[in-house]
Amino acid sequence: MPQFLDTTDPGFETAFGALLSAKREDSPDVDATVAEIIADVRARGDAAVIELTQRFDRLELTPETMAFSAEEIDAACAEVPHAERAALQMAADRIRAYHERQLPQDQSWTDAAGATLGWRWSAVSAAGLYVPGGLASYPSSVLMNAIPAQVAGVGKLVVCAPTPDGAVNPLVLLAARLSGVDTVYRIGGAQAVAAMAYGTDTIAAVDKITGPGNAFVAAAKRRVFGKVGIDMIAGPSEILVIADTDNDPDWVAVDLLSQAEHDESAQSLLITDDAAFGQAVAAAVEKRLETLERRAIAGASWRDFGAVITVRDLDEAAALSDRIAPEHLELCVADPEALAAKVTHAGAIFLGAWTPEAIGDYIGGPNHVLPTARSARFSSGLSVLDFMKRTTTARMSPGALKAVGPAAETLATSESLEAHALSVRARLDRLNEGPK
Amino acid sequence: MPQFLDTTDPGFETAFGALLSAKREDSPDVDATVAEIIADVRARGDAAVIELTQRFDRLELTPETMAFSAEEIDAACAEVPHAERAALQMAADRIRAYHERQLPQDQSWTDAAGATLGWRWSAVSAAGLYVPGGLASYPSSVLMNAIPAQVAGVGKLVVCAPTPDGAVNPLVLLAARLSGVDTVYRIGGAQAVAAMAYGTDTIAAVDKITGPGNAFVAAAKRRVFGKVGIDMIAGPSEILVIADTDNDPDWVAVDLLSQAEHDESAQSLLITDDAAFGQAVAAAVEKRLETLERRAIAGASWRDFGAVITVRDLDEAAALSDRIAPEHLELCVADPEALAAKVTHAGAIFLGAWTPEAIGDYIGGPNHVLPTARSARFSSGLSVLDFMKRTTTARMSPGALKAVGPAAETLATSESLEAHALSVRARLDRLNEGPK
C-alpha cells in the first residue's frame, strides 16, 4: 500500500517533507569508469568504441557496420505493421505541428540613443540523440527528441542506439526515419556519448546531445557538458494527479499506474479533497495491479513511493503541487484551467479527466521529455529552443556612441580595464575632433 | 608577437587547427576538494560556511554578519562618486530595456482534432548570483546577471560575493541595489555555491545559480547542476575582429587589447583581407602595450594566443569565423550587416567600427555573459529565459480523445506499457458506451 497522508494530521509536514526528499534512485558512482571510457574513446576513437561495444553489448562491429545501412533501415521499416506505422506517423505529425509554434522570432530595433539592437536565432549544426536499448527503447522518445531538432533546422541529426546482442527495435528505426534522422549508430553507453561529443573517424562530432539513458549515459553527458550542449539529466518518472470526487477512481488508478509501470523508482501521487475518494482510487489501483503486465514494477513503485494525500481544498492542493514541482500534473477537477492558474512549477499539465497523461507521452503534441526530481522549479521540457542558440547584435551610430560611450568609459575605468575604456575613448576623440 | 597566418599558405589548415584546439586554460583538478566542500556545507551548514570563509578569505563571520546589512549597503552606495553612479544607472536602464523585450509569450490554441494545446512561462522562485571577489569583481557583471532575473520576475534574488580580508567593492553593492537584489552574502568559492544550492540555516536554497567564478566555483556549479539550474561554465574571454583596410589600425588594436587585458588566457584574433593592414594593427597593439596599465596580462595573452589571419576575401572570413564560433565578433567592414548574415555561430556581434566590443560589456543593452570556448555553436548568452521555465498544457475534448487516443493506445502497447494503453482505453470505452 502507498502512504496515506492528510494535511490536517499533526505529522503531515514531517511526512510530506520525507516524501519530497526521498531518494528514489540509487545512482551508482560510475563516474570513474565513465571518465576512463571517455578518455579511451578520445584516444583510440573507433577502435575503442568497437571494443567497448563488444564488451558491453556483446556485438562485433566494424567501422563499416557501426551505422545501420539504408537497406537495413528499409527492411526494418517494412516489418512495422500498418497500425503502428499509422500511429507513429500521426504522432510525428502532431508533435511537429506543436513544435513548429515554438520557433522563435528574431528582433531588431533602434532605440532613442540611435543604437540598433536585437538578436537572431540559429540552429545548431549537428545534434546527436541517445536512444536507450533494451526495455526502455522507446520509438516515442526518438520522435520527441528528433522532431524538435528537425523543426529547429539542425543540419545533421544522428542517433546512437545500442543493440545488445544485436537486438533491434524496428519501430525505433522507423521513428528515426519519420523524424529526419540522417544516421543511426548501433552503439550505446558512455562510449556513444563520448563518440558524439569528440568524434571518431567514423562518427562526426555533434554540437548538442540529448536523450535519456542509464547511469553511465547520464554521467557521460555531465562530463561532456561544455564541450557540447546537453539536455537535462533525467531522473525516474513522476506523476501527480489532483482529483476531486467527481471522477472515476479507475481512471485515476490507471493514470497513476501509467507512471508507476515505468520504473520501480517512479513516483505516482494523488492529491484529493475527499479521503474516501482517495481510498477508492487506492482500491482501484490494487485491482488493476492484479492483472497488469508490469505489476511487479508498478506495484513496487506504488508501494514504495506512491502516496494519497487528502487536502482541505484545491487551493491547498495547488500549494502542495508547487512544492512537489511534478514532471506530469493531471488536473481531474471541475475547472482545471482555474486550478492550473494557481500552479507555478510543473513540467506539463494535463487538463481535465479526458486528458490522461499517456496522451502526452505519445500523441498530444507537447514534448514528453520533461524535468524530473523537482527540477520543474527551474527547467523546462525539451523544445525547439534546445536545438537553437541566440546571437545578440548591436550597432552604434556615432551619435549613439556619443550618448552612451562616456558611461561605458567610466565603468571600464572603475573596473580597472583601461583598454576597454580606450577602445571607447579613441572613437569619442575622433567624434570630438569634428568633421575634417 | 602574435601568430600571423595566411589562408593562402600551404600550412594554414594545420596552424589554424592548432589555434582552434589550443588549450588556453590550465584547469586545475579541484573536483575532489570541491566535493568535500559541498558535502561539508550540506552536513554542517552555516558552521562549515563560516570555517571555510575564515580559511579561504581570512574573514571572521557569524550567521548574523554573513549578509551585508541594509545600513552597510547604504553606506557603501553613498561612497560611490556621482559619475560612476550615473553610469551604472544608465547601464542598468539600458540593460533592462533590452531584456524586457526577451519576455516570452504564452500560447494556447485548439487544433482540428479538438485538442487545446499550449504552454506558459513562469519565473524561477529564487535565484543566486555568484560575483567573484578580487580583481574580477565587476559591478557590470552584477547588472548583467541580476537584471535578466529581475525582468523575468524572479521572486527572490541573492548575491554571493566573497570579500577576501574584508575588502568590499562599493560599486558591486550599488549594482546589486540597482538591479533588485534582495540580499548580498559576503561568501564565495565552492562553499557559496553549495550554500545557495542546498541552503543553510541562514542562506535559503535557490533554484538557479548563475555568474562567473574561478575553477572552484565552476566545479561546484557543475556538481550542483540538477539540484539547481546553472548557467554556462564560462571560460576565458575571446574576441574576433574582422576588419577591412578602411579602418583605423589603432581602434582595432585597442579592441583586441580590451579582451586580452582580461586574462592571460584570453584570446584576441584579427581576420583581415589585407596583410598590410594586419601588420599595421599588430604594430598599433605593440605601441598601445607600451603604456597600457595591464600590459603584462594583455601582452602575454596577445603573444601566446593572439593571431592575425589574412584571408582572400570576406566570405572566407565568415567561414573561418564560424569555425571559431567566437564569444565576441566585431565586424569593422563597409557592410557589417551583409557580413553578419553570412555568420552562424557567435555569442554577440558588434556591427561596424563605431561599435567597440566594450560597449557591449557595459552599456549597449545585450548581455555580456556569453558562450566561450566555441560553445556559441550550441549555446546562447544569458537572457531572461534563463530565469524562466515553460510548462506545457494539453486538454483533450472527448472528441479529441476519440480522434487521437487509439494511436496512443497502439504506441503504448508496442512499447509494452500496458497501463499507458489502459488509461486511454478506459476513457475510449466510456465514449463508445455512448450517452447513458
Side-chain angles (χ1 to χ4, degrees), chain B residues 191-255:
Chain B
Q191 57 274 24
V193 174
M196 291 194 282
Y198 290 98
T200 70
D201 286 345
T202 302
I203 300 167
V206 302
D207 302 303
K208 179 102 188 186
I209 298 176
T210 69
N214 62 16
F216 289 86
V217 171
K221 282 169 66 182
R222 194 181 280 271
R223 279 203 164 253
V224 302
F225 169 54
K227 167 70 174 123
V228 299
I230 64 168
D231 62 341
M232 65 203 78
I233 307 284
S237 197
E238 311 146 6
I239 188 170
L240 167 62
V241 181
I242 301 179
D244 59 27
T245 188
D246 191 20
N247 275 282
D248 185 331
D250 179 60
W251 291 12
V252 174
V254 279
D255 295 354

Side-chain angles (χ1 to χ4, degrees), chain A residues 109-332:
Chain A
W109 66 94
T110 301
D111 68 16
T116 302
L117 305 173
W119 62 78
R120 57 181 218 200
W121 290 88
S122 56
V124 302
S125 297
L129 316 178
Y130 189 85
V131 178
L135 253 187
S137 171
Y138 296 141
S140 57
S141 289
V142 177
L143 300 183
M144 292 291 183
N145 280 273
I147 290 174
Q150 187 187 29
V151 169
V154 170
K156 185 166 165 75
L157 202 53
V158 305
V159 161
C160 279
T163 58
D165 301 305
V168 176
N169 182 346
L171 278 161
V172 163
L173 295 179
L174 177 58
R177 178 156 284 179
L178 291 179
S179 48
V181 170
D182 297 293
T183 310
V184 182
Y185 296 103
R186 47 189 132 213
I187 62 170
Q191 58 274 23
V193 175
M196 290 194 283
Y198 291 98
T200 69
D201 286 344
T202 303
I203 301 168
V206 301
D207 303 304
K208 178 103 187 185
I209 298 176
T210 70
N214 62 16
F216 289 86
V217 172
K221 281 169 66 181
R222 193 180 282 270
R223 279 201 165 254
V224 301
F225 169 55
K227 168 71 175 118
V228 298
I230 64 168
D231 62 342
M232 65 203 76
I233 306 284
S237 198
E238 313 148 5
I239 188 170
L240 168 61
V241 181
I242 301 180
D244 60 25
T245 187
D246 193 20
N247 276 282
D248 185 331
D250 179 60
W251 291 13
V252 174
V254 279
D255 294 354
L256 293 169
L257 288 171
S258 75
Q259 293 309 299
E261 74 174 345
H262 269 297
D263 191 334
E264 294 185 4
S265 308
Q267 183 165 53
S268 301
L269 305 174
L270 169 64
I271 298 183
T272 178
D273 54 0
D274 184 282
F277 178 78
Q279 293 288 350
V281 170
V285 168
E286 295 305 325
K287 184 150 193 310
R288 286 284 190 177
L289 276 173
E290 288 170 15
T291 56
L292 194 71
E293 286 165 16
R294 295 165 72 102
R295 58 186 170 272
I297 293 169
S301 159
W302 179 240
R303 185 178 64 239
D304 294 342
F305 302 113
V308 176
I309 304 172
T310 304
V311 292
R312 295 175 184 85
D313 54 37
L314 293 181
D315 281 353
E316 200 171 47
L320 289 183
S321 178
D322 265 356
R323 292 173 66 188
I324 295 166
E327 180 189 14
H328 303 103
L329 175 61
E330 220 180 271
L331 301 180
C332 301

Side-chain angles (χ1 to χ4, degrees), chain B residues 150-164:
Chain B
Q150 188 187 28
V151 170
V154 171
K156 185 166 166 74
L157 202 51
V158 304
V159 161
C160 279
T163 59

Side-chain angles (χ1 to χ4, degrees), chain A residues 376-401:
Chain A
R377 293 176 294 119
F378 55 81
S379 63
S380 310
L382 199 67
S383 82
V384 167
L385 295 187
D386 289 294
F387 297 96
M388 302 186 80
K389 63 266 183 347
R390 192 185 44 243
T391 299
T392 61
T393 54
R395 176 169 195 159
M396 296 285 134
S397 65
L401 193 72

Side-chain angles (χ1 to χ4, degrees), chain B residues 240-281:
Chain B
L240 167 62
V241 181
I242 301 179
D244 59 27
T245 188
D246 191 20
N247 275 282
D248 185 331
D250 179 60
W251 291 12
V252 174
V254 279
D255 295 354
L256 292 169
L257 287 170
S258 75
Q259 294 307 300
E261 74 174 345
H262 269 297
D263 191 334
E264 294 186 4
S265 308
Q267 183 164 53
S268 300
L269 304 175
L270 169 63
I271 298 183
T272 178
D273 55 0
D274 184 282
F277 178 78
Q279 293 287 350
V281 170

